[in-house]
Amino acid sequence: MSNLDRKPAPTACGREADTGPVRDLLTGRQVPLGESTVVRRLLPNLGRRMVGAWCFVDHYGPDDIADEPGMQVPPHPHTGLQTVSWLHQGEVLHRDSLGSLQTVRPRELGLMTSGRAISHSEESPRPHARFLHGAQLWVAIPDAHRHTAPAFEHHADLPVVTARGLHGTVILGTLDTATSPGTAYTPLVGADLTLTEGADLRLPLVPDFEYAVLAMSGGVDVDGVPVEPGSLLYLGCGRRELPLLARTDAAVLLLGGEPFEERIVMWWNFIGRSTEEIARARTDWETGSRFGTVHGYAGARLPAPELPATPLKPRGRER
Ligand code: MN
């Protein structure tokens, strides 16, 4: 046998043909989270489901929660993924079925690996800071590791990358020469970049990663494109550097990684590989098996929604 394809698809950065540098601006969809928080969902988005192994991106706030309960997400299950809690303002109290009880503060990493099964709750503690602003991110775990034991990590002291006008904190994976202590299962990066007004720089990238930038605050041009807070600019692959220009003091999250080529089924809080697997996870949550118990949350746990009548389709990184 021989490969007779005269235009073989690039393999260095994904199998799909359209994987060079692009600039696709994605706006968020408003989604209620629990009873008192509304988030902007950037991933999955129409036509763009993943950036590397990053498969879920919510941006919330800044919200004035001085006289509000703030975030109140009751106990719910996860499988096949990691969750990253990342704050710019406020704090979130994390509880999980391993017995973890951890307050996560701005620019500290709360990293939960569901592996085969975990459940957790997230709430604004009482009392809490006036403003809540952050991002909730999920990372898909590849098939070879997705049945691993559940774990929770809290890293308050993360590595830093600096340049003139830039203070970068590496959340997960590697940026330039700095690597986060958080456990990662695929080559990727998540980094928090704080830019001072007038900063004009080129951030070093890896050409075989795909990237996106989520604007958190301020005014910033990413490769010449103004990105408003709460929007995500997808950048594609094949870049060695990324031009960033801060029109005001600003903060963005850089998300990237090797394109995730496995097709996954993502439904509610589960990632699996088939409808049957998702249905089993749902039944296990509803019957109180596999996912353990979250202690101390003042309220009932979240019931699972009904499965759709049509089978769930395994999907790739695009549509
Ligand atoms: Mn969760």
Side-chain angles (χ1 to χ4, degrees):
M1 288 292 284
S2 166
N3 183 359
L4 301 178
D5 189 349
R6 297 180 64 85
K7 287 208 292 188
T11 51
C13 185
R15 294 188 201 119
E16 288 153 77
D18 54 342
T19 48
V22 296
R23 294 180 295 183
D24 289 342
L25 191 59
L26 305 178
T27 51
R29 183 162 59 84
Q30 306 262 347
V31 179
L33 181 74
E35 290 187 358
S36 50
T37 310
V38 174
V39 304
R40 284 164 293 284
R41 183 148 304 157
L42 284 314
L43 284 184
N45 206 309
L46 205 62
R48 177 65 48 200
R49 302 189 62 82
M50 300 180 80
V51 178
W54 301 98
C55 60
F56 184 95
V57 175
D58 273 353
H59 172 257
Y60 53 87
D63 292 326
D64 185 342
I65 59 166
D67 302 315
E68 313 257 347
M71 183 179 290
Q72 299 294 328
V73 182
H76 60 278
H78 286 292
T79 187
L81 58 90
Q82 295 176 289
T83 64
V84 172
S85 301
W86 191 255
L87 290 168
H88 276 190
Q89 288 177 282
E91 59 278 298
V92 168
L93 179 61
H94 163 97
R95 305 172 194 269
D96 66 40
S97 51
L98 303 173
S100 313
L101 178 64
Q102 180 66 54
T103 302
V104 180
R105 297 191 167 82
R107 293 183 169 83
E108 298 178 353
L109 171 61
L111 175 65
M112 187 179 79
T113 300
S114 77
R116 71 181 90 88
I118 201 167
S119 55
H120 73 146
S121 63
E122 293 156 298
E123 65 201 277
S124 297
R126 267 170 258 181
H128 53 247
R130 176 167 184 184
F131 289 101
L132 180 64
H133 182 204
Q136 176 70 26
L137 313 164
W138 294 1
V139 181
I141 304 179
D143 195 44
H145 296 285
R146 67 194 180 96
H147 302 292
T148 191
F152 179 76
E153 299 167 48
H154 176 244
H155 300 284
D157 191 17
L158 294 166
V160 160
V161 172
T162 55
R164 185 204 283 264
L166 166 72
H167 182 93
T169 304
V170 186
I171 303 168
L172 197 60
T174 300
L175 177 66
D176 199 12
T177 55
T179 298
S180 164
T183 303
Y185 293 94
T186 53
L188 51 62
V189 63
D192 183 286
L193 309 177
T194 301
L195 304 162
T196 52
E197 182 177 340
D200 184 1
L201 55 101
R202 290 172 175 271
L203 194 73
L205 300 184
V206 182
D208 57 358
F209 277 18
E210 60 180 338
Y211 290 94
V213 167
L214 169 66
M216 296 291 289
S217 58
V220 61
D221 291 354
V222 180
D223 194 16
V225 179
V227 186
E228 298 305 317
S231 294
L232 183 93
L233 184 69
Y234 178 72
L235 294 159
C237 300
R239 295 170 181 268
R240 294 190 178 278
E241 56 182 23
L242 179 64
L244 294 172
L245 175 66
R247 286 176 276 112
T248 65
D249 287 350
V252 303
L253 297 188
L254 175 74
L255 303 173
E258 262 179 19
F260 194 88
E261 298 292 4
E262 295 174 24
R263 298 179 81 77
I264 62 176
V265 179
M266 205 167 128
W267 180 80
W268 194 42
N269 292 302
F270 304 130
I271 293 182
R273 297 297 183 273
S274 68
T275 300
E276 295 68 31
E277 206 183 319
I278 298 291
R280 203 157 51 237
R282 182 190 180 282
T283 301
D284 286 349
W285 174 247
E286 290 301 283
T287 57
S289 52
R290 185 172 15 156
F291 292 96
T293 304
V294 179
H295 293 286
Y297 184 84
R301 56 188 225 144
L302 271 187
E306 289 300 320
L307 274 171
T310 52
L312 300 161
K313 248 174 67 180
R315 295 183 188 275
R317 33 195 286 261
E318 293 181 333
R319 204 59 206 169

